[in-house]
Amino acid sequence: MNSRWKSYLRMVPILFAVVFSMAVACPQPDPPGPIPGNGLDETKSDARIAFEKVSAEGYYHEGACLLRYDEKTFQRSLNASRRSVRIQADDQSRYMHLVFTDRIPENVGDETVCRITFTPEGSEEVTLIVKFLTVRIDDTSIWLWNELQTIGILIDIDLQDDK
């Protein structure tokens, strides 16, 4: 065997020992703390606190209501078997169509993923897939919140009917 190869082979155990000792000596990363708004702690953003106080059904972003249900000029539909909710203006110029990808949440703290197709006044259609935390529930309404995107959706839903 060539002497060059012999010297390379002698270096392999030394290189392995150095790499192994460096890997063992590295400190473990600190796990991240609780994320505000994920239900694991009591820390809530101002936007979430404001959203939890609203009572008008609609789509909220950064504290502003971008689409508010008004029974005089809007229609609402719930299809429990398809797990979908739709709110639309009578002239269909503005609407929100929300589809739960799994099940409709039943308890505060439940997480759910929704596909939202949304058209605010004077804008083009936007489709989002968002993971929401259920922050409030009463007999007829669900408040869904995403802290990262500061999106809130309040929908009226009769939880007593079949899901």
Side-chain angles (χ1 to χ4, degrees), residues 99-158:
V99 178
F100 293 94
T101 60
D102 187 16
R103 63 181 178 83
I104 297 173
E106 298 175 358
N107 300 301
V108 171
D110 286 353
E111 292 184 338
T112 188
V113 176
C114 298
R115 185 180 71 242
I116 306 162
T117 305
F118 172 68
T119 301
E121 191 167 358
S123 294
E124 294 188 22
E125 182 178 87
V126 175
T127 299
L128 304 168
I129 297 176
V130 180
K131 184 175 186 177
F132 286 106
L133 175 68
T134 307
V135 295
R136 185 174 160 196
I137 290 182
D138 64 22
D139 291 337
T140 59
S141 300
I142 299 175
W143 285 255
L144 301 171
W145 179 252
N146 180 284
E147 184 67 35
L148 183 62
Q149 297 177 357
T150 60
I151 294 174
I153 295 188
L154 170 54
I155 52 174
D156 285 345
I157 227 170
D158 188 356

Side-chain angles (χ1 to χ4, degrees), residues 42 45 47 57 60 63 66 69 80 87 99 102 127 139 143 152-153:
E42 291 302 315
S45 67
E57 184 176 7
Y60 295 80
L66 300 183
Y69 173 75
I87 300 170
V99 178
D102 187 16
T127 299
D139 291 337
W143 285 255
I153 295 188

